[in-house]
PDB file of all heavy atoms in Angstrom:
ATOM      1  N   TYR X 280     -29.448  30.350   8.949  1.00 82.00           N
ATOM      2  CA  TYR X 280     -28.131  30.690   8.414  1.00 82.00           C
ATOM      3  C   TYR X 280     -27.267  31.476   9.402  1.00 82.00           C
ATOM      4  O   TYR X 280     -26.048  31.532   9.263  1.00 82.00           O
ATOM      5  CB  TYR X 280     -28.280  31.503   7.132  1.00 82.00           C
ATOM      6  CG  TYR X 280     -29.323  32.591   7.207  1.00 82.00           C
ATOM      7  CD1 TYR X 280     -29.110  33.736   7.947  1.00 82.00           C
ATOM      8  CD2 TYR X 280     -30.535  32.462   6.548  1.00 82.00           C
ATOM      9  CE1 TYR X 280     -30.070  34.726   8.026  1.00 82.00           C
ATOM     10  CE2 TYR X 280     -31.497  33.446   6.621  1.00 82.00           C
ATOM     11  CZ  TYR X 280     -31.262  34.576   7.347  1.00 82.00           C
ATOM     12  OH  TYR X 280     -32.228  35.553   7.427  1.00 82.00           O
ATOM     13  N   SER X 281     -27.846  32.123  10.407  1.00 85.00           N
ATOM     14  CA  SER X 281     -27.040  32.856  11.393  1.00 85.00           C
ATOM     15  C   SER X 281     -26.166  31.878  12.153  1.00 85.00           C
ATOM     16  O   SER X 281     -26.609  30.796  12.533  1.00 85.00           O
ATOM     17  CB  SER X 281     -27.936  33.623  12.360  1.00 85.00           C
ATOM     18  OG  SER X 281     -28.686  34.602  11.665  1.00 85.00           O
ATOM     19  N   ALA X 282     -24.894  32.242  12.370  1.00 84.00           N
ATOM     20  CA  ALA X 282     -23.955  31.293  12.945  1.00 84.00           C
ATOM     21  C   ALA X 282     -22.933  32.000  13.833  1.00 84.00           C
ATOM     22  O   ALA X 282     -22.609  33.172  13.620  1.00 84.00           O
ATOM     23  CB  ALA X 282     -23.224  30.542  11.832  1.00 84.00           C
ATOM     24  N   ARG X 283     -22.447  31.258  14.819  1.00 89.00           N
ATOM     25  CA  ARG X 283     -21.400  31.747  15.711  1.00 89.00           C
ATOM     26  C   ARG X 283     -20.404  30.623  15.957  1.00 89.00           C
ATOM     27  O   ARG X 283     -20.659  29.452  15.648  1.00 89.00           O
ATOM     28  CB  ARG X 283     -21.987  32.204  17.061  1.00 89.00           C
ATOM     29  CG  ARG X 283     -22.902  33.402  16.987  1.00 89.00           C
ATOM     30  CD  ARG X 283     -23.485  33.708  18.361  1.00 89.00           C
ATOM     31  NE  ARG X 283     -22.444  34.095  19.319  1.00 89.00           N
ATOM     32  CZ  ARG X 283     -22.458  33.779  20.626  1.00 89.00           C
ATOM     33  NH1 ARG X 283     -23.445  33.043  21.113  1.00 89.00           N
ATOM     34  NH2 ARG X 283     -21.505  34.185  21.420  1.00 89.00           N
ATOM     35  N   VAL X 284     -19.256  30.982  16.572  1.00 94.00           N
ATOM     36  CA  VAL X 284     -18.246  29.994  16.923  1.00 94.00           C
ATOM     37  C   VAL X 284     -17.699  30.317  18.312  1.00 94.00           C
ATOM     38  O   VAL X 284     -17.881  31.427  18.814  1.00 94.00           O
ATOM     39  CB  VAL X 284     -17.080  29.976  15.907  1.00 94.00           C
ATOM     40  CG1 VAL X 284     -17.526  29.413  14.573  1.00 94.00           C
ATOM     41  CG2 VAL X 284     -16.477  31.370  15.746  1.00 94.00           C
ATOM     42  N   SER X 285     -17.018  29.324  18.902  1.00 94.00           N
ATOM     43  CA  SER X 285     -16.433  29.539  20.232  1.00 94.00           C
ATOM     44  C   SER X 285     -15.172  30.369  20.179  1.00 94.00           C
ATOM     45  O   SER X 285     -14.819  31.050  21.144  1.00 94.00           O
ATOM     46  CB  SER X 285     -16.152  28.188  20.890  1.00 94.00           C
ATOM     47  OG  SER X 285     -15.279  27.410  20.075  1.00 94.00           O
ATOM     48  N   THR X 286     -14.456  30.318  19.052  1.00 95.00           N
ATOM     49  CA  THR X 286     -13.273  31.138  18.882  1.00 95.00           C
ATOM     50  C   THR X 286     -13.074  31.462  17.407  1.00 95.00           C
ATOM     51  O   THR X 286     -13.365  30.632  16.546  1.00 95.00           O
ATOM     52  CB  THR X 286     -12.013  30.441  19.437  1.00 95.00           C
ATOM     53  OG1 THR X 286     -10.888  31.307  19.323  1.00 95.00           O
ATOM     54  CG2 THR X 286     -11.716  29.161  18.672  1.00 95.00           C
ATOM     55  N   LEU X 287     -12.577  32.661  17.147  1.00 97.00           N
ATOM     56  CA  LEU X 287     -12.333  33.079  15.773  1.00 97.00           C
ATOM     57  C   LEU X 287     -10.917  32.792  15.311  1.00 97.00           C
ATOM     58  O   LEU X 287     -10.661  32.676  14.114  1.00 97.00           O
ATOM     59  CB  LEU X 287     -12.605  34.583  15.624  1.00 97.00           C
ATOM     60  CG  LEU X 287     -14.065  35.029  15.601  1.00 97.00           C
ATOM     61  CD1 LEU X 287     -14.158  36.549  15.692  1.00 97.00           C
ATOM     62  CD2 LEU X 287     -14.743  34.546  14.323  1.00 97.00           C
ATOM     63  N   ALA X 288      -9.977  32.689  16.244  1.00 97.00           N
ATOM     64  CA  ALA X 288      -8.582  32.502  15.847  1.00 97.00           C
ATOM     65  C   ALA X 288      -7.736  31.993  17.007  1.00 97.00           C
ATOM     66  O   ALA X 288      -8.043  32.243  18.186  1.00 97.00           O
ATOM     67  CB  ALA X 288      -7.993  33.813  15.318  1.00 97.00           C
ATOM     68  N   THR X 289      -6.668  31.291  16.645  1.00 97.00           N
ATOM     69  CA  THR X 289      -5.619  30.888  17.588  1.00 97.00           C
ATOM     70  C   THR X 289      -4.300  31.170  16.888  1.00 97.00           C
ATOM     71  O   THR X 289      -4.262  31.798  15.817  1.00 97.00           O
ATOM     72  CB  THR X 289      -5.716  29.395  17.939  1.00 97.00           C
ATOM     73  OG1 THR X 289      -5.370  28.607  16.788  1.00 97.00           O
ATOM     74  CG2 THR X 289      -7.138  29.030  18.392  1.00 97.00           C
ATOM     75  N   ASP X 290      -3.200  30.670  17.471  1.00 96.00           N
ATOM     76  CA  ASP X 290      -1.909  30.871  16.805  1.00 96.00           C
ATOM     77  C   ASP X 290      -1.697  29.891  15.658  1.00 96.00           C
ATOM     78  O   ASP X 290      -0.630  29.880  15.027  1.00 96.00           O
ATOM     79  CB  ASP X 290      -0.765  30.762  17.812  1.00 96.00           C
ATOM     80  CG  ASP X 290      -0.694  29.403  18.496  1.00 96.00           C
ATOM     81  OD1 ASP X 290      -1.613  28.572  18.299  1.00 96.00           O
ATOM     82  OD2 ASP X 290       0.278  29.168  19.227  1.00 96.00           O
ATOM     83  N   LYS X 291      -2.752  29.070  15.339  1.00 97.00           N
ATOM     84  CA  LYS X 291      -2.627  28.102  14.245  1.00 97.00           C
ATOM     85  C   LYS X 291      -3.676  28.286  13.155  1.00 97.00           C
ATOM     86  O   LYS X 291      -3.511  27.769  12.052  1.00 97.00           O
ATOM     87  CB  LYS X 291      -2.700  26.678  14.788  1.00 97.00           C
ATOM     88  CG  LYS X 291      -1.518  26.333  15.689  1.00 97.00           C
ATOM     89  CD  LYS X 291      -1.584  24.906  16.176  1.00 97.00           C
ATOM     90  CE  LYS X 291      -0.370  24.587  17.059  1.00 97.00           C
ATOM     91  NZ  LYS X 291      -0.401  23.201  17.554  1.00 97.00           N
TER      92      LYS X 291
END
Side-chain angles (χ1 to χ4, degrees):
Y280 45 72
S281 297
R283 295 176 64 215
V284 290
S285 58
T286 183
L287 285 170
T289 69
D290 61 353
K291 294 182 179 180

